[in-house]
Amino acid sequence: VLDAGGRLVVHCSAGIHRTGMITFALLRVSGLDPLSARETLRKLRAVTGEGVGDHRVAWAEELLVRSRGKRREVDAHDDDDD
C-alpha cells in the first residue's frame, strides 16, 4: 500500500501507546533505522512519539527480528524446491 503511494491510518483508543508501537514497527519494516523511525513517529504525532515508551519500541524491534527470521525460513524453503 505505502510503496504504491497509498496511505495507512493506525489508531487505537488514545492513539499513543499501541498506535506508536505498531507505527514504529511499520516504519522499521519499511526500511527506517530505529532513530529515524522514532523521529518520524514524533513528527507524525508528537504525543505518540513521546508516549510510545521504550518497552513498546523494544517489542516492535523483536517483531522485526522475528519477521526477518520467518522470511529467511521461507526463502530457504523456496530454494529447496529448485
Side-chain angles (χ1 to χ4, degrees):
V1 172
L2 298 175
D3 289 341
R7 292 178 183 225
L8 181 66
V9 176
V10 179
H11 196 359
C12 64
S13 180
I16 299 172
H17 303 117
R18 289 168 290 190
T19 298
M21 179 174 63
I22 297 301
T23 303
F24 179 86
L26 289 168
L27 291 168
R28 291 287 287 125
V29 167
S30 74
L32 293 181
D33 61 82
L35 183 59
S36 296
R38 197 78 182 251
E39 289 173 2
T40 300
L41 188 56
R42 284 186 188 104
K43 288 178 185 176
L44 291 169
R45 188 164 188 249
V47 69
T48 302
E50 296 301 325
V52 65
D54 291 337
H55 65 289
R56 289 181 186 89
V57 168
W59 175 89
E61 286 294 326
E62 177 65 22
L63 179 66
L64 180 65
V65 168
R66 287 176 184 233
S67 71
R68 287 181 176 164
K70 296 280 186 204
R71 211 172 304 145
R72 281 190 216 108
E73 288 176 22
V74 170
D75 291 344
H77 290 296
D78 287 346
D79 291 342
D80 292 342
D81 293 339
D82 292 336

